[in-house]
Structure formats: structure tokens, C-alpha cells
Amino acid sequence: MKKRDTIDGKLVMQFQSGNKQALTHLVKRWHKTFCEKANWLVKDTDVAKDIVQDSWQVIISKINQLKDPYSFSSWASRIVYTKSLDWLKASKRKQNHLENYKYEQEVDNLETKEKESIKAQLLKTIKTLPEHQQMVIKLFYVQDYSLKEISSVLNISVGTTKSRLFHAREKLKQILKYRNYEN
């Protein structure tokens, strides 16, 4: 048994017996070592300090349950190690979540750009139609007018409205099919 383990064991037994100063000595002896161990694992000094602080809370809350006081160094080091690994796992999950979010945003942006491109192409194509067909298409699809409302606005019969809408759709289909927008 190392001298260090003997000293730690005695301090643990003193603390378990009610000597609160013994804990202060343990903290002074181990805090820097625990910070170095955590920092070696997580590669961030501030995070390592937080991990060690959390580890001390666990150590203090469970030190009275430590059956072999002379194993303090390995027992407490294991707590620091486990807390460090927990932080790394949580950090990895957070990183994965952020990467997934970023990917989803990029996909959404691409879809939006693609939709805008198709919409622009469609509007350009609509402008190639005769004026009377453009008007019917715009009123029906853009402004959501019913066939009856369109016939009233344009002062034409419902049958003529249907006919213009049908012919406009057919011309759009042909143009878009030719440009490979429709299968």
C-alpha cells in the first residue's frame, strides 16, 4: 500500500467519524489531480473544473458508504472519470443534434430554392400564354376564385371560363413536359 493511500484512508476514516476538517484535507490533496484528469479527458479546463465540482458532490454524498477507506484514490478517480465520460457522451449527442439540425436546415433551404425556381419557371411559362388564358389561370390558382366568380369578373360564361382554363392547363402541360418539369 502506498503512503498516499494510507494518508487518504486515515482522512476518510476521520471524516466518517465526524471530523469535517479531514474532508478539507482530502480536497486539498486531490482537487488539482482530479482537475488534471478531467481536463485530460475532455480537453477543456473550464468544463473539467465543473466536472470535478460535480464529482466532489458525489464523493461527499457517498464517502460514508465507502467500505475500504484506503481505496479512496481509485474510488474517487473513478467518479471523476465517469463524470467526464458522461459529459463527453452528452457533448457528442448535442453535437449530433446540432449537425442534424444544420443538415435539416440545409435541406429545407435547398427545397425552398428548388420550389422558388420551379415557381419562377412556371410564372415565366404562364406569361407565354395568351392574355385571356393568363387571366383565368391567375384568378383560379393565385387568387382562388371559383369558376362562377371568374366568369362574373371577366364577364364571360362559366362554360367559356372552363374552356379557357382547360386550354391554358393543356398548353402549360405541353410546355412544362417539353422542359422536363413533368413526367
Side-chain angles (χ1 to χ4, degrees), residues 34-166:
F34 291 163
C35 286
E36 289 168 355
K37 182 180 197 78
N39 189 39
W40 183 79
L41 289 165
V42 300
K43 311 289 190 249
D44 185 321
T45 306
D46 293 331
V47 170
K49 288 177 183 177
D50 291 342
I51 289 170
V52 171
Q53 197 66 33
D54 291 345
S55 298
W56 276 115
Q57 289 176 343
V58 173
I59 291 166
I60 292 167
S61 71
K62 296 190 177 194
I63 198 167
N64 286 323
Q65 300 166 11
L66 184 60
K67 293 186 184 351
D68 180 8
Y70 296 98
S71 67
F72 175 81
S73 64
S74 60
W75 173 75
S77 292
R78 185 69 187 167
I79 291 170
V80 172
Y81 180 76
T82 302
K83 287 277 186 192
S84 298
L85 290 181
D86 289 347
W87 183 87
L88 287 170
K89 288 176 191 172
S91 178
K92 184 71 172 169
R93 278 193 303 273
K94 187 176 183 180
Q95 181 66 29
N96 287 342
H97 178 72
L98 289 173
E99 286 173 7
N100 287 342
Y101 178 77
K102 182 179 175 187
Y103 173 76
E104 288 171 4
Q105 293 302 310
E106 288 171 357
V107 167
D108 287 348
N109 288 341
L110 284 175
E111 288 175 355
T112 301
K113 287 178 184 176
E114 189 176 303
K115 286 177 185 175
E116 287 173 4
S117 172
I118 291 171
K119 185 177 178 182
Q121 190 62 45
L122 185 58
L123 290 173
K124 186 177 176 183
T125 305
I126 289 172
K127 288 182 180 179
T128 66
L129 296 174
E131 184 68 34
H132 65 278
Q133 289 178 350
Q134 283 184 44
M135 188 65 69
V136 173
I137 289 281
K138 288 177 184 176
L139 290 172
F140 189 77
Y141 288 108
V142 177
Q143 296 182 6
D144 257 353
Y145 280 39
S146 69
L147 292 172
K148 188 174 183 180
E149 291 170 326
I150 295 170
S151 68
S152 175
V153 168
L154 297 179
N155 200 22
I156 56 176
S157 70
V158 174
T160 303
T161 304
K162 285 182 186 179
S163 174
R164 287 182 183 177
L165 188 58
F166 172 79

